[in-house]
Structure formats: structure tokens, C-alpha cells
Amino acid sequence: STADAYVATLAVDETHQKLAFYARANTDGFFPLHAHDSGETVLVLAGDFMVDGVSYKVGDRLESIAHSTHRPETAQGC
């Protein structure tokens, strides 16, 4: 099922075409399948966050490369 997810913009850097945002899921489930033109950095602040079968916990940081596509998920919310 799709996670009950919310996204809020934190900062926009138009010069370098970068966007920082918070993502939160109150329930378990999947985030939408999406692509990243310039990559993505995720810092897990709460709960769990899974990408491609790898589970990340609070304090973990993960990087997605440019032009990658994924469908993250969470078992407890994050």
C-alpha cells in the first residue's frame, strides 16, 4: 500500500538546481516511484526507510545517484 506521506520544502538553490525537503510517512507502505535528475541525499531522522531491500535507521544517510529511479518504503513510518 502507499504510505500516508507528506513532503515539505526546506530550501531551494536555483543556482545549483538543488532542492532540500522533508518527507514524512505516518504509516507503513511505499512512497511513489520517482526519479532524480541530479541525485538525492536522505538522512533518516525517525522510524525506518528502505530502498532496494536495504533498511536504514535513525542517523543513517544514503545517496541516490543522478538519473536513478526508486520506490522507497517504510515498515513503521519515518
Side-chain angles (χ1 to χ4, degrees):
S1 69
T2 302
D4 181 19
Y6 300 87
V7 176
T9 301
L10 173 64
V12 177
D13 180 344
E14 291 184 20
T15 302
H16 298 100
Q17 296 183 341
K18 294 189 178 204
L19 171 68
F21 62 91
Y22 291 107
R24 179 178 76 194
N26 291 325
T27 61
D28 66 329
F30 292 94
F31 287 83
L33 177 67
H34 61 279
H36 297 280
D37 291 336
S38 61
E40 174 186 56
T41 301
V42 174
L43 174 62
V44 181
L45 300 176
D48 67 283
F49 190 78
M50 294 176 272
V51 177
D52 297 331
V54 178
S55 184
Y56 300 90
K57 61 186 183 323
V58 174
D60 287 344
R61 178 181 162 162
L62 60 137
E63 303 277 338
S64 297
I65 62 171
H67 309 293
S68 62
T69 301
H70 60 204
R71 185 179 181 206
E73 61 183 295
T74 179
Q76 307 168 24
C78 58

